[in-house]
Amino acid sequence: MDEKLVDVYDEVLRRNPGETEFHQAVHEVLDSLGPVVAKHPHYADAAVIRRLCEPERQIIFRVPWVDDAGRIQLNRGFRVEFNSALGPYKGGLRFHPSVNLGIVKFLGYEQIFKNSLSGMPIGGGKGGSDFDPKGRSEGEVMRFCQAFMTELYRHIGEYTDVPAGDIGVGGREIGYLFGQYKRITNRYESGVLTGKGLAWGGSRVRTEATGYGTVFFVQEILKTRGESLDGKRVVVSGSGNVATYAIAKVQELGGTVVACSDSGGYVVDERGIDLATVQEIKEERRARISTYLEHHPHAQYVENHSLWQVPCDIALPCATQNELNGTDAAALIAHGCSVVAEGANMPCTPEAVRAFAEAGVTFAPGKAANAGGVATSALEMQQNASRDSWTFEHTEERLAGIMRGIHDRCLSTADEYGSPGNYVAGANIAGFTQVADAMVALGVI
Ligand code: NDP
């Protein structure tokens, strides 16, 4: 890290003790900004980087609700409104027992640069709760969402803060959240949440956007080498929203996905993962990926091991943060993997990212590769604002164009700042400079 930035990082460590994921995310961005502060000293004069590392607002609240047995349950809710220099705070809500303030802050911080990179007029934020939807009934999920929104509603709005889904929050949860917002405020404010159902203000392609966008990004990487996805062997971690539609798009473009996973283990199907089975298990039955073998007995299920041991040309980590470590990276490199693109947020540890760089594996960071989800959320906001509804083809074409634009901006920025081919540097610098310029223009606020 450039010596001019060490003090900023030390201040982040001092102010946010124990928030290891947040420290990791900040470190990764600051590591890239050395050439920027050298070229543009006015950013330091305006304390832009220090201000960027401090959220504009952090909200923590109690979420009491009643389970099916009549017992009172208690969870904690979070919303971190990190930066609004480019537009209203925008970022998902995560419901998972691991959620804490440090995780929400890392996600919110990443979101600032991702949203900037998308070219859309949106700031960065993130939220969630330590509520675990697994094993909960429909009624319990609904009552939890209603209790969560009963506090959150006062902090959000189409011009203020626009949440969406993330781990544990899909179309069902967005429905319950929107319903409660509408009930409390007596306003049909479509632009307050994205990821809505198509019948009530949602955008076509939003469900598919993150996974599709990640694969569009990989397509652009391969194009620079004169290659395509046709015939490529791909491993995708996770089997949720991002993983499902990454698998779908890889298959559509001629690749074969041979493995996917959930938090219990992974499935290998050398004939190619059957997406309809995965969707039936995950979207309809909300069951474990191990049950894939009931439909495809020739496949293999491996419990509690890293799926990165499965040989592939392309790896797409699409589950959660720090799921691919240095050992996993070594296995991928040994098996000849040449592209790793993050569908999830920060799934690769710093050791893994370093190993890829040293081995010449092309690495696309999440803030670039998975920006298609939030970009399509911004398209949903556009449609809501104009009371319009676009076709699937038009929306997908817009998404593909946005991903091409992000890809090209990463490469041209990396070139400009002396790190040709380095997508991490390109994404961090391009994302940063746009927000930084806006912050300078808006004054000390
Ligand atoms: P889902 O809840 O739909 O799916 C998450 C998947 O990851 C599930 O298969 C889940 O398995 C697995 N997973 C979750 N936590 C863990 C864990 N601790 N260890 C191992 N596996 C785990 O979430 P999404 O697909 O929406 O999100 C996946 C990633 O993509 C996250 O990092 C998210 O921040 C990121 N992302 C999502 C976007 C979106 O539009 N949804 C946009 C941009 C990024 P199990 O069911 O067993 O828990």
Side-chain angles (χ1 to χ4, degrees), residues 94-96 98 106-107 111 114 126 134 164-170 206-207 209-211 237-244 261-265 282 287-288 317-321 323 342-347 366 370-374 377:
R94 175 177 293 191
F95 292 169
H96 192 272
S98 64
F106 118 63
L107 291 164
Q111 198 82 47
K114 181 190 308 191
K126 200 83 187 188
K134 277 203 200 81
D166 190 80
I167 292 178
V169 179
R206 176 60 191 91
T207 307
T210 310
S237 65
S239 47
N241 173 267
V242 180
T244 298
S261 64
D262 63 17
S263 56
K282 290 294 168 183
R288 311 307 300 158
C318 295
T320 194
Q321 66 274 359
E323 54 158 312
E342 294 186 323
N345 285 311
M346 209 170 74
N370 72 35
V374 75
S377 276

Side-chain angles (χ1 to χ4, degrees), residues 243-297:
T244 298
Y245 292 99
I247 295 172
K249 193 46 93 177
V250 168
Q251 292 179 342
E252 192 186 315
L253 296 172
T256 304
V257 177
V258 291
C260 68
S261 64
D262 63 17
S263 56
Y266 67 89
V267 167
V268 183
D269 186 344
E270 289 291 342
R271 297 182 196 167
I273 291 289
D274 179 29
L275 190 59
T277 302
V278 173
Q279 287 184 291
E280 193 263 328
I281 295 170
K282 290 294 168 183
E283 292 170 17
E284 287 169 39
R285 286 199 280 127
R286 295 183 189 269
R288 311 307 300 158
I289 200 68
S290 55
T291 61
Y292 184 91
L293 269 60
E294 292 168 11
H295 305 261
H296 303 280

Side-chain angles (χ1 to χ4, degrees), residues 388-401:
D388 200 355
S389 175
W390 304 343
T391 64
F392 195 95
E393 292 68 30
H394 174 71
T395 318
E396 190 180 14
E397 191 37 56
R398 290 285 307 264
L399 168 64

Side-chain angles (χ1 to χ4, degrees), residues 382-411:
Q382 270 186 34
Q383 292 168 77
N384 293 151
S386 58
R387 300 188 186 280
D388 200 355
S389 175
W390 304 343
T391 64
F392 195 95
E393 292 68 30
H394 174 71
T395 318
E396 190 180 14
E397 191 37 56
R398 290 285 307 264
L399 168 64
I402 290 167
M403 297 313 296
R404 266 195 304 278
I406 295 174
H407 174 270
D408 295 351
R409 197 150 354 114
C410 286
L411 280 192

